[in-house]
Structures are given as C-alpha cells and as structure tokens.
Amino acid sequence: MQKQLELRLTGSGGQGLITAGIILAEAALKDNKNAIQTQSYGPEARGGASKAEVIISESDIDFPKVTLPNMVLSLTQVACNKYITDISEDGIIIVDETLELPEGLTASKVIKAPILRTARTEVGKEIVANIVALGLIVGLSNVVTKENLEKAILARIPRGTEDLNKMALQKGYELAKNY
Amino acid sequence: MQKQLELRLTGSGGQGLITAGIILAEAALKDNKNAIQTQSYGPEARGGASKAEVIISESDIDFPKVTLPNMVLSLTQVACNKYITDISEDGIIIVDETLELPEGLTASKVIKAPILRTARTEVGKEIVANIVALGLIVGLSNVVTKENLEKAILARIPRGTEDLNKMALQKGYELAKNY
Amino acid sequence: MNQPLVENYFRTDKLPHIWCPGCGHGIIMASIARAIDKLKLDKDKVCIVSGIGCSSRAPGYMDFNTLHTTHGRALAFATGVKLANPELEVIVIAGDGDLSAIGGNHLIHASRRNIGLTTICFNNNIYGMTGGQYSPTTPTHDKGTTAPYGNIDKPFDITKLAVGAGATFAAKGTVYHVNQLDKYIESAIKHKGFSLVEAISICPTYYGRKNKKGSVVDMMNFLKDSFVDHKVAEKLPPEKKQGKFLMGEFVNVEEPEYTELYDQIIEMFK
Amino acid sequence: MNQPLVENYFRTDKLPHIWCPGCGHGIIMASIARAIDKLKLDKDKVCIVSGIGCSSRAPGYMDFNTLHTTHGRALAFATGVKLANPELEVIVIAGDGDLSAIGGNHLIHASRRNIGLTTICFNNNIYGMTGGQYSPTTPTHDKGTTAPYGNIDKPFDITKLAVGAGATFAAKGTVYHVNQLDKYIESAIKHKGFSLVEAISICPTYYGRKNKKGSVVDMMNFLKDSFVDHKVAEKLPPEKKQGKFLMGEFVNVEEPEYTELYDQIIEMFK
Amino acid sequence: MAENRENLTIHIKEDWCKGCGICIAFCPKQVLGFNENGKVTMLDRENCIKCGMCQMRCPDFAIFLGGKEDV
Amino acid sequence: MAENRENLTIHIKEDWCKGCGICIAFCPKQVLGFNENGKVTMLDRENCIKCGMCQMRCPDFAIFLGGKEDV
Amino acid sequence: MSKTVKFLQGNEACVEGALMAGMRFYSGYPITPSTEIAELSAERLPRLGGKFIQMEDEIGGIAAAIGASLTGVKAMTATSGPGFSLKQENIGYAALAEIPLVIVNVQRGGPSTGLPTAPGQGDVMQAMWGTHGDHPVICLTPDSVKETFDLTVRAFNLAEKYRTPVILLTDEITGHMREKIEIPEVSEIEIFNRIRPEAGSDYKAYRVEEGDIVPKMADFGAGYRYHVTGLMHDETGFPSNSTQNAQKLMDRLMSKVSDHVDDIVDFEEFLMDDAEYMILAYGGTARTAKAVVKSLREEGVKVGLFRPITLWPFPEKKLLEYTGKIKDILVTELNYGQLKLEVERVVKSACSVRFYGKANGEIITPKELTDIFKEVL
Amino acid sequence: MSKTVKFLQGNEACVEGALMAGMRFYSGYPITPSTEIAELSAERLPRLGGKFIQMEDEIGGIAAAIGASLTGVKAMTATSGPGFSLKQENIGYAALAEIPLVIVNVQRGGPSTGLPTAPGQGDVMQAMWGTHGDHPVICLTPDSVKETFDLTVRAFNLAEKYRTPVILLTDEITGHMREKIEIPEVSEIEIFNRIRPEAGSDYKAYRVEEGDIVPKMADFGAGYRYHVTGLMHDETGFPSNSTQNAQKLMDRLMSKVSDHVDDIVDFEEFLMDDAEYMILAYGGTARTAKAVVKSLREEGVKVGLFRPITLWPFPEKKLLEYTGKIKDILVTELNYGQLKLEVERVVKSACSVRFYGKANGEIITPKELTDIFKEVL
Ligand SMILES: Cc1ncc(C[n+]2csc(CCOP(=O)(O)OP(=O)(O)O)c2C)c(N)n1
Ligand SMILES: Cc1ncc(C[n+]2csc(CCOP(=O)(O)OP(=O)(O)O)c2C)c(N)n1
Ligand code: SF4
Ligand code: SF4
Ligand code: SF4
Ligand code: SF4
C-alpha cells in the first residue's frame, strides 16, 4: 500500500455511500492509520449524484480533499458521468455492472461488478449494496484489515441488521476474488 | 459685534426655543451672515430641558457647536440649572423673572426679564414667549437686523398668527429698552 | 410618608421617570406592580424584559431582575431566560411598535409556542421614543410624522393577532379602566403558557398633539367613553355598540406550556 | 410533442427542476401556471418573488420577471416591487419556513396592509432545503432533525395567522386536490388586496422519511383522505369530522388596497 | 395591605407630580385641584372618600393614600 | 385551450420523469405503470379516458395530454 | 434669502439631494438620528408622484427598496447603527445582484443602543465589512449640510452607474445641524441614470456589453423576463455552481469598483500644499479639524487637512503622494481608531501616524485637538 | 478505537467541545453548512439536562442565547454567513452588556446566498467589524476537527473569563470533514466559569472589583436584582448620559481585550525557526499551506507556516518578531485578501506581503499554492 490512499465513492443519495466512506475511514483508524472523510453537499445532491471521499494514510493528512483518487467506485450512471473524471494512472475504477463507462479513462484496472444485483438477489436487500461494495473494495485492495472493517461496520449499522450486513460483506469479498 | 457670536436658548420642550434659534439663524442669513443652529436631543428632552444653540458669524463657521456662549437665555428653572453653566466673561445671561440663578456665574450682564408674563398677559398667549425672547435678545444685541428678524419670523410661523407674533416681537423690543 | 407599593417594587432612586406629563405608561407600570403584589411573587424570581421605546424604559424603574434589550427582541430574549430557568416569572413589557412592528415575528412565535411569558403591550398607537411616527396600531387616517397625509395602513388588532398565532390567553384593557387592567394582568401572570395583555395607553405628546386629541384628560375620557367590556357589549343593542372598542379577556384556555414539555423530554433521560 | 402550458410559462431549458422525486412543489408550480394561463395575464407584467428554500427555487423555472431574494424576505421585496409599480401582478412563492419562521413578520404586515400581493405558501411542514429540521408548521410530536424526540411546538395554522393579521383573502388547498388548488390560486390572483393560498405540499425526502409517512403515494393518499372542504365539513356529522383538516376559501372580503390608497394621496397633489 | 380607610389620607409627592391633571379630572368627588406651580393639591380633604382612584391612575406615583399620622 | 379530447393522447417525457408514481397511483383507470428504468409508461392506451389527472398531478411536467399526430 | 437658499438640517438636505437626483421611492424604519430623512421623504415624495412606505423593520426597509429599484425607480433607505446592522444581509444581496440603491446611515454613539441621540463615527469599518463575504463597497461621507446634498446626488449617480448599493455615511453632527445651503437647479447638476437595454436586444441580464462598465439593467415589467438571485449566477442571471463562473462574477463585481477608483474616489485637501503635518479627518469631525488647521496656520504651523470624502474606496493613492512630504499624520475620528487602521496600512513606515479619538457621545473640540496636535511639535 | 477516540465532523466536534465546556443552552436557526451543530445539540442537550430551542430566525437565536446566559447557563448559537449578518445587532448588545456567549460561524461561499454548500473565508473582517460601533472582539479559528473541539472549549472559557461574546469562525472545510479526534476526559481540560458575586456583597453589576478583570456576574434569579441594558450605563448598570461614564465604560470594554492580548492570542508556528519565507494561513486553508510547506521543505526551500489561531486579536506581536528575519509573506485565504490587509498593516515596509486567494467555492490546492509560492524564489 502506498503512503496515502485516496478513494471516491459515488452513487445516488439514498445508497449509503457516505456511511460506507465513514466506515472505511473508521476501520483505518482501528488499523492505527489516519483517515479523513469528506463529501459533497448541495441542493444538487438532492436525489442526484452523491460523492464521499476518503483519504487513508500512515502519516498526517494535511490537505483534506482527494485530488487524484487511487480508487473510484460508482453505483449509478449519473454519478459515474459526473465523478469519474480523473483517476491516478495506477488507479482502479469499480462500477456496477449496469453502467456504461465514459470514454478516455486511463485507469490501470476497470472492474464492472454485479454489486447491486448481489445485494438485491444474493443478500436480499439492495440497501446493503454499500456494504457489498466495501467488501469488494477491501477484498481488492486490503486498504484496511478485514477484522477492523467488520468491527467498523457493526458499530455503524442499526441494531438487528448485523447478520444481513455480515453477509453483504462476505458477498463483497467473494466478488473481489473474480478480479 | 464680534466676529462670531454664540447663543444658547434653553427652556422646556414645548416653548418653541428651537424654532426661535432657527428664526434667529435665518435672519442672520438674510443679513448675509453665516449661521449654524444645533440642538440637544434625547429622551431627557421629553418634557424636560431643551436647548437650541446658534452661531452667527461674518465668515465660515467650521466647528458647529457653541463652546463658550456670548449669550444664554433660559425660560425654565430646570433648563437654567442644566445649561447655564459656562458663559464667556463678556457674555449676557437672560432669564425669565421667575427663575433663580445658580451661583458663581461670571457673566458681564445678568438680566431677569418678565418674558413669560409679557407673553401671557400683554400678548395674551404664553406660546409666543419665544418670540418675545427673540425681540429681547435682538433689542439688546442687534445680532441681526430688525427688518430681517421680522421677515424670518413671518416665514416660519403658522398662517393667521402674524399679528400675534409681530406684537410679541414688539413687546420683546420694548422689554429690551429696560436693560 | 412612603408608599409601600412604590417602595417595595420600584427603584425609587430612579424616579420620577422620564415619561411626559400624562403619559399613560406610568399607569400600566403601576398596574403591573399591583398585580405582582397581589400574587405575592418573590421579587428575586421575577424578571422583567423589554425592548426599546418609551414604554421599554419601564424595567429600569422596577426592582426585579430587569433586562432592557434591543428594539423588538424582548420576547426572544425572554424566551431564552424562561427556557433556561423556568422558575423565573418572566414578564415582557413592550410598546406597540416594539411588539408588533419590528418585533411582530417574535410575538407570533411566542404565542404559538405557548411559552410561559406574560407580555404587557403598552399600546399608545404611535412610536413615542422616536417622536411620533405612525405604528402598526395607528388607526387608518390618523397622522404621524411619517404619515403627514393620514395613515393608509389598516391597524393590527394585537390581541386578535396573538390569538391567530395561537396565544392561550389574551386580554385588552386601557389606562382609564385601571381596576380591570389590574385584573387582566393578574390573570395573565397566573396563566400557564403565553399570555398577552394589550393595555391601551396614551401618548399626549406625539399621538395626541398630531391628531388633535385634546388634553391628557380628553384622551382619558375618550378611553372611558369608547371601550366596553366585550361581554357587556354582547348584550348591548347595535346602536349602542357603534363606534365602541371592545376590551376584556378574550381568550383563556389551558394548553401544555413549552418549558414543561421540554422538561418532559429531559425527564425521559433521567 | 410540446406542452403548451410548459412551453409558454416555463423556462424549459432549466427543466427538469432540482426537486426530489415526488416532491409536491412541482404540482403547485404547475397550478400557478395554469391559473395565470386561465386569467390570461400578460407575462411581461407578472413578477414572481421568492425567498430561499426548495420551494423558493420555483421562480427560476418560471418565465416571468423573477426574483429570488433572501430567506424570509420575499414579501418585503415584493412590497417594494408592487408599490413602485402597481401595474405588475406580483406573486410570492414561499416555503412554510420562509414564510412563517424567519419571514413571519413580513407575512403579518403584508396581510395587515392589504397590499395587492398574491402569496402561495408551499407548505411541506418541514425545512426541506436544509435537510429536515422542524418548521413552525411541523405537527406536534412529529420529528425533524432538530426535534429528535418529537416536536413540542404547537404548529401555526398559517391561514388563520394571516386572517388574524388582517388578510382579506385566505384559502388552503393541497397538492392532491389540484382542481381546487387551481381555483384558489385563480381567485387569489383576481383578488384585490393581499391574498394567501396555503398549499399543503409533500416532502417525501425529509418529512416523509423522518416521520415514516411511507411512499410518495402514501403521502398523497393521506392528503386525499384527511382534507375536506370546510363548507362540506360543516354538514358532516361530528364523527366524520374527526381527524380531518379543513381546506377551502376561508376569507374573501373586499377592502381598499394599499397601492390604490397611496395613489389617492398622489392624486391629491396633481 | 387591607388598611383601615379611617386611618388613611391622601398624600402628595409634589416633586414627582407632573401636573397632568388626571387625578383631578377623575376624582369622583372633585376634591383635587392645581396649585400655583401647576401641581396637584388637595382642595377639600373633608370630602375625600379615599377611593384611591387618584393613586390608581396617577402615572407618576405622585399621589397616594397613606397613614394619617404623617399629615 | 379547449381541445377536442378525441385528438388527444398521453405523452411521456421520460427524461423528466423521476418515477415518483403519483400519476400511476391516481390514474382513475389504472392505465399507467413503471417501465424497467423506473419511469412511467402507458400500459393500456385504449382505456385511457384522457381525464388529464396524471398531467395535473405530475410534479415534473413529464406526462401530459397532447395532440395525437406525434404519437 | 434668494429662492434657492435654504437653512436646513443635514438630514433635510439629504432628502432634497435625493429628490433632485431622482429618488422616487423610500422605504425604511424610523430611528434616531436619521428619522427626519424618513419624515421629509414621506411628506415630499407623493407630491412628486413618488412613494414612501414605512416598513415593519429595517430589513423590510432595504428589501422593499431593492424591489422598487428593480422596477426602475431610484430608491433609498436611511437608518442609524442598530438598523444598519440589521440591513447588512440585504446589503450583500444588493451588491451581488447589482441593484442600484442608496443606503444612508446617520451615525450615532454605539455599539448597541449606546447613546442614541449623540454623535459617533463607529460604523466606518462596518460600512466596508458589515455583510458576510467579499463585495464591492462605495461609501461617501459629508462634512456639511451642503455637502450632504451634493453627496446624496452623487451616491445616486454612483449607484446607477456602477449598479451597486452606495452608502452615505453621515453622523449626528452633520445630520442634525442646520446650515445655509444653496440648492441648485436640476439643470445645474449632473444626473446619471442606469443604462437600460434597448428594445429587442438579445438581453442577458448579467452580461457586460462592450463599452459598458456593468450589465445593462432592464426594469421589471418592461418586457425582459429575467431572473435575479442572491446565489452565484452566470451571465444570464441564473444560479450556477460552476467555480469558473463564480470566480468570474466575483472578479467582475470587485473590479467594477477597484478598476474605477479614480472615477469614484473623492477627497478634500485643505492647505496641504506646503504642509509638514497632516490632520486626517472626515464627516462632522473634519469641521473641528479645519478649525484647528486654520488656527494653527495663524500660529505659523505648516499643517493641512486631508479629508477623505469617499471613505471606501479609500483615497489611498492621493494619501501616498503626501507621505514622503509630511512628518506626521494625526487621524482624528469619533471612535477607537477605525480609519486610522487603513491609514496605517497605506502609509506603512513612510511617516508617523498618530490618533485621537473619542467614543463617548461628545464631539471633539478644537481645543482638545489642538493640544493633541501640538504634542508632535 | 479506544473509547475516547472518535471519527467526527468538525461541526460534531464543536458540539462535543461545547458540551464538555459546559454548554447547557443552544438556540439557533438552521443554515447550511452549520446545521449539524444545531442537530447534534438538539439530540445531546436534553440528555444532560440542557435546553435546545430552534428559534424563528437567527436574531431570535442569539437573543435567546443572551437571555439564557443571564440566568447563569453557558449558551451557544451557530450559523453561517447570512445568519451571521442577521445576528450582528445583538452581537453588539452582548459585547456592550458583557454577556458571555459563543457564536459559531461556519463560513460558506458568500456574499449573500452565494454558494451555500461551498467553503469560503469571507467573513473574517465581518467577525471584527460586523456590528455598529466599537466593541471588543475575540475570534478563534480552527484548522482541524480536533482543534475545533479545543477551540470551542476555549471559546467558552474566554467568554466566561472576559464576559464577552466569543466568535468561533470555522469554515465548510473543517466543519464538514471527518477526522480522528481523541476526546479528553473532563478532568483533563481546563474549564473556566464566570465569577459570581458572593452572597450579601454590595453588588454593583458593572463595577470591576480589585483583582478582577471584569465585573462579577450574578445569575438572574439568584437574588441580585440588577439591570442590564444596551444603552451606555454606569457601574450600577443603569443608563447614563454622562460622557465621562460612557468613555469609562468604552475604555474598559476595549481594554479588557487589548490589555490581555497575551492571554488571549494564539497561533501556530510550523517550521518557522530557520524560515526565510512565510506562508500565513488559517482555518481550512492552513491545511493546504501546511502540505505545501512540507513539500517545499523536502525540496530544500526554507519556508514555514504561520497560522493565526486567534484571528482577533490578531497575533501582531509574534508576527512582528519574524518580519526582520524573513523575505516574504504569502498570505492565502478563501477571499479577496481580508486578513492580508491586517498583515500589511502590521508588517509595514518590513518585508513584502503577497497574496493568493479565491472566492469561488473551491478550496486552494497544494499545487496552486506551490506555483504561486515559487514565483518569489
Ligand atoms: C433596530 C432599531 N430600530 C429602530 C430603533 C428606533 N426606535 C427606538 S424606540 C422605537 C419605537 C418606539 O415605539 P413603541 O415601541 O411603540 O414604544 P413607545 O416609545 O411608543 O412607548 C424606534 C423605532 C431602534 N432603537 N433600534
Ligand atoms: C438568513 C438565512 N437563514 C437560514 C438559511 C438557511 N435556509 C435555507 S432554506 C431554509 C428553510 C427552508 O424551508 P422552507 O422555507 O419551509 O422551504 P422548503 O425548502 O421546505 O421548500 C433555511 C433555514 C438561509 N439561507 N438564510
Ligand atoms: S413621548 Fe409619548 S409615549 Fe413617550 S413618554 Fe411622552 S407621552 Fe409617553
Ligand atoms: S427536500 Fe423535500 S421539499 Fe426539497 S425538493 Fe426534496 S422533497 Fe421537495
Ligand atoms: S395624576 Fe399624578 S402627575 Fe398627574 S396631576 Fe395628579 S398627582 Fe400629578
Ligand atoms: S407523476 Fe410525473 S414524475 Fe411521477 S411517475 Fe408520473 S410522470 Fe413520472
């Protein structure tokens, strides 16, 4: 892992990607790393595209915003068009299988994964797509330890949904194995 | 007359002394002099003591406030106590006959005149005491010409009260002869 | 010879007050003191809050916890005082301009919230302190220095406004009808929740002069002749009601009081 | 295929609007356009003024002289527009927060003055734009992000408030009852003097979610089932009235309009 | 403060009286008047019924019913 | 705009439709439904009575009655 | 007195100037010591077909004036400290939306309710910085009744020319004193009216056309159906979140004043030609300073008065011309040294800057100021 | 994560700090990007026996907080630009009447409604000059979530110690970002409570007793029946028109801050020891500056960061210590150069002062700032 990892999670308002960003950052903290999470606000976010950004680093993080992400995730076409504009050359793009990628992107790896479908059909609730996505991201990058990711997830989710979320996480890890 | 003459007219809110100050200044303007009029405001003026100040000068008047008046007039005890504090050594103090003067004043001349009584009994309306006072002041000091004083008065007073005010002015001039 | 009421409830070293001869505000201020005396309130637990205006100078004379705020904001300050310490009996004194012009929003929201404040409006139908501009209660056609050709605004009925906003107690009285005024204020203070007493005052200096209302006594006589209790009025034949203004307790209902409701939330976590 | 109403009265290049799926605000905006169309107003002589809020974004979409002001101040800006040029048909669009929280004072004064402004309140019982804080119209016990334990405030009845302040036209409708809403808005625009139409809207995103009101359709069904015309309600047996909210034209009286009265003063000097 | 009216009488605080005339006009027995300074004065103490209306309506706390001893 | 209903039919502006479902739920004839993108679609044009309620209640100007020629 | 010579208060002269400049709308809320401006406007406006309205508060006062300005009339509002504070939000609105408007603040003793009937000059910095966010500011301050008239006219002209709110910052001294004033004929004064779009033009409400300083401004109701907002917007006037647009708009707003400082800035130099010492004063306090300069000159002291007439933009360039020549600047104002800070910033280390101020409701007397001045000799 | 480590937004940390400092009353009105402060206060306060109220507007928000403070509780209100403008009148009231109070302004892109969801630093001068009249000002600005916590605690302490409203001026950057924060135990932090009079003392509400900095403050309801007013007043608290009294009061108010600058002022010096160049930045922008300083240092450039933590009073003395040693100061902020003016005033001709700013809703990136910085090399 590089000294500083920058991630951008995008989708629509209700998909829980800001929570996913927070969880990821909190897992990093548990790993004794530093993390910063920011997000875009605006009336435009209303029902439209939403963006959460996370920076994870071994040392202090001064500048708080993502400049060139190492990893971008998109769950909706609108978000994908709006936010997958720049990515580091060795970066990874992850989008839901249903999306069309804009042209001319120079990422090292582009992954189209059935994130929404996995959540909907395999876990049974589309609402946990964000956790599936987390599993996929961490499965691919090991940006945080699996142990602490699970802890972080359990600390943020509503009581009574533990099993559901654990399953979603598992499915995400499994997805990762394909890429 | 000196280069710059400073007057202070004091009494209670309803006695028309601010109008008197304005009239005096306007008469000075008609005499081709310069004049500035200022007054004290404040909730305290409400039913309490009121103060109008006039500076008349042949040349420009820069500092607009009276510092050491050459002439102070008082129609009420409260105003007299509050505002007759300082006066130029060659200054003149004019108070209504009913007032007690504070001690230790070093004016060149102190005049107690029946201003209110003259207005009330000889003119018939106490409300024109301010005009009686103007007659008295100008009769004593010639600070403005009588011709222009009358013009200035007639320009400010309500229509229909011309004769009353002319009489008051006349009575003021007559009073002046006594001092 | 001392007057016990004055000695007990006023800061006598600040008296006489700055109000003009015949200004009705002094009458209302005394009425508030009598009501407090009648109710035997603990002086240390009474807080009087006002905005800016002739009327708003009252707290300076009254021997309680007194707060003279910014123009129109008395009810908002008072809301903070009351919510932070519901033990305090908070009484707000406000001119018609203070309460219904610049302060109108706080009036309707305090009414709506039903927070336990007693508001006494010193309504002289004019801005006194600034020298006679028309206020939101100046009757149509009357003059003010800013309405030289007669006011074209329709005046507020402040009592009705507060009721429209949800006030649970609202009464109107006059400085002529002092016995009744005492009672309205007493009931208003006793009332749990927001209460308003609109006390019609007189401003002989500005409103009176501008509108040729005659002497102080004439203005008092006008109040005497034109105000009738709304319950009495109900029974009058129409011709006798003509030109009359209604006074009395218009609304007095019990509803949950704001600070008590808040305390219930706090209780949940105890 | 074009929609004439949309093409004629909206800035189609700005559409689709920013409102959330199912937000009732679009329904009210269309209703205003239909009323304007019905009355055949000259577009160049219509001015739409709003404050700040989701609802207050409406003027940006409407093809008239449009003015998006500061939060709560739409009626004060509009008062200037109307008085300076009474020829203009001035319509004010305001959220419940905009109109009755920060803007409450301007509402009661515009009502009092009876100035010829038509005010359409987009009342979704919440602050939408800032993300779901309770507003002065949030029902008691309901939740907002700033009322996590349930709102303890008593809500305004905005229509009643305006009437208490002197409004000469006041009606209430809902985004479900669109035919009626069209009519209220039409009458309001036709009315000389100040008019208010309180249009009950829905905010599925914040109010709905926070208060478990179900889907957009559920929220519309709630309006359908709970609002009855006040004239119809009069004739219902008590048990049928229970839990119902009243809608309809509540007040519609003629009184001199402010800018006309002012013009009379000007006439005096001509 | 239910004092016995017998022992009460009208007191005037001339310093505070602003001469508005309210007490005089609305005294049911018309026992009050102005003095030469334009302040209130008791003209007819005998006929005063001690109703206290002058006190109630005086805006300046300048007239009131109080114990007789001081008179 | 008193057009003859005969010549009218429902038009859908899919771009503008946000899929709230209001028109579908309150269509008196239940002739509308969602398509796979979650947008409104006409399921049963025959039975549409052209009452225009979908148009009246659509918050997004995405469904409306218009001339038939374009269909 | 010839027919055009009058004896007026500064506040009255302000209204006379406003009417001559073309003010036809006034909306405000009374407050001492500005109230005469409202009162005289109420009396005069309807006689000229104009409108006066007393709003429910000062926020409403400025809001209504902005609304009126949009219909094409020249509008004004006047107030004092507490009201000026309340107007700040909408001053920023008018600046961003580029609404011509004159805002008068007759300064009294602050902060808060302070000394409502006494003079002060404590709102100098507030005139520049009172609202949130950067914004262009033009602020004029007169030292006499006559100049109050002149600057009111100028305030309207600048407002119209630069499409921006202009602040006339007077004080209780000049506002309430009465002085001789010769009122010119309309034909004698220059009056500037906003430039309106020509009929049929392809109107973009916030686009500056070639040769113009600001976008042409159409009257509401004149057939251009445009949009006005307090959000950042593009040339069409519609909200835009584009950072480029925002920067472009802000740069344009700021530079319409900063690029035209020479046109806007005004000041008086009194006996500065050979001066070794400068007294810098403005508004009512400048009268004291002028008296002092005159009397010191009689004593042979080479002192002059520099009087900023535009406080904002501050006459920086002119002041810098003097810093090499003079030994000391004595800044005097009725506050704790507000404009003094700007003077210090401008002159840097070029000469010493001294300060004499007061904030107790009194005005500074010639004697006081003379004594302080002489400390440097 | 140990039990006291949290991952919070700056706005959340503000509430945590406030609660730990003893805040038990919050009144305000929602506005982006400060709203989370209200929302979290609403949730937390009743659990601690405190009170939250959403008022009808921002004016009511600060008014209620002042009222609450008078009863003896620690009170706070939070807002952003437009609301901060509306609060100005009552900020002056609190300053004059000496009411302890914390006012948070989470700055967004202004002026007017501007860019409501974007960061800005355009209210720096407004924090100092926004209300009419001279008045004491304390204004703190954090650059991280942790510091937001710390400075909120400090804001309450200073408010209580100096009996004055204290402004916490944050921005959308720090307000909305989430960062690690270790929350201390109450016992670990210093908490200052206003000094109350002792029972039975001859209490004059506005008299400073020997050894005190400010008058002792009695709670309303505690048996001292005193008077509070926004008019100039004497030691007893009652209005007074005496000019001596007014001057005395104003001098005391102004000097309670100016005499204790050393106690109040705070700043960070980062790699300044051997620096030849200084970047001066604060708040969210200081994060960019720190990143730039670090990377320039790696290149061998002797540059350091000077970060004012108290914007007002400005750390003038400390800055002056550097002016002899360094060649250039680059001030960077999200506005058109507000604090830059103060820097210019302070450093005079001692070294060059450059400026890089933006006011378009974007934050300044390390790359931009590096490029600008290098122009001086
Ligand atoms: C913000 C603000 N605006 C205006 C004023 C000026 N002002 C002081 S009192 C007042 C009105 C007084 O009228 P009212 O409240 O009816 O009380 P009254 O003096 O008649 O008793 C006004 C406009 C002020 N002090 N502050
Ligand atoms: C002076 C000021 N205070 C607060 C805000 C923040 N704000 C913007 S819109 C809004 C409330 C919106 O609610 P409402 O008016 O009911 O309209 P809705 O968004 O629900 O349609 C608030 C509090 C602001 N922009 N300006
Ligand atoms: S001006 Fe009017 S309200 Fe004020 S004190 Fe005098 S009489 Fe009373
Ligand atoms: S937040 Fe609510 S009010 Fe705003 S657009 Fe969405 S649904 Fe409508
Ligand atoms: S009512 Fe009071 S102030 Fe008036 S005359 Fe009688 S005693 Fe004097
Ligand atoms: S009502 Fe409009 S937006 Fe909603 S589903 Fe139907 S067409 Fe789409």
Side-chain angles (χ1 to χ4, degrees), chain D residues 112-132:
Chain D
R112 174 176 71 78
R113 272 188 208 109
N114 198 34
I115 184 162
L117 305 170
T118 303
T119 302
I120 317 291
C121 178
F122 289 38
N123 183 357
N124 58 8
N125 304 111
I126 203 93
Y127 293 161
M129 182 60 101
T130 43

Side-chain angles (χ1 to χ4, degrees), chain G residues 84-151:
Chain G
F84 196 53
S85 288
L86 288 171
K87 288 182 197 287
Q88 290 302 330
E89 188 197 7
N90 282 326
I91 291 178
Y93 181 89
L96 183 69
E98 300 183 78
I99 315 291
L101 182 69
V102 173
I103 302 146
V104 185
N105 174 359
V106 185
Q107 292 169 97
R108 62 192 219 181
S112 195
T113 313
L115 293 162
T117 59
Q121 297 182 308
D123 310 348
V124 165
M125 280 298 201
Q126 187 192 26
M128 178 76 196
W129 300 111
T131 194
H132 61 285
D134 297 273
H135 59 289
V137 178
I138 301 178
C139 170
L140 313 174
T141 194
D143 77 337
S144 69
V145 170
K146 173 71 172 89
E147 198 173 77
T148 304
F149 178 94
D150 295 341
L151 292 189

Side-chain angles (χ1 to χ4, degrees), chain F residues 16-24 34 40 57-60 62-63:
Chain F
W16 288 5
C17 172
K18 292 180 185 154
C20 67
I22 291 177
C23 57
I24 301 168
F34 287 114
V40 71
R57 290 209 186 87
C58 170
D60 288 274
I63 186 166

Side-chain angles (χ1 to χ4, degrees), chain G residues 249-297:
Chain G
L249 171 60
M250 286 301 297
D251 285 348
R252 182 170 71 68
L253 290 181
M254 299 304 281
S255 63
K256 75 182 175 184
V257 167
S258 62
D259 285 356
H260 297 90
V261 164
D262 290 341
D263 178 46
I264 299 167
V265 152
D266 195 7
F267 47 82
E268 180 191 355
E269 300 148 289
F270 179 70
L271 304 180
M272 279 303 302
D273 272 355
D274 61 340
E276 290 171 5
Y277 299 95
M278 176 191 284
I279 299 183
L280 191 150
Y282 54 89
T285 306
R287 315 241 345 178
T288 310
K290 195 174 258 182
V292 168
V293 165
K294 282 183 188 170
S295 79
L296 285 168
R297 279 280 175 177

Side-chain angles (χ1 to χ4, degrees), chain B residues 46, chain C residues 18-21 23-25 54 124 128-129 202-206:
Chain B
R46 183 151 301 144
Chain C
I18 61 158
W19 294 320
C20 303
C23 173
H25 291 356
C54 291
N124 58 9
M129 182 61 101
I202 58 174
C203 171
T205 304
Y206 292 111

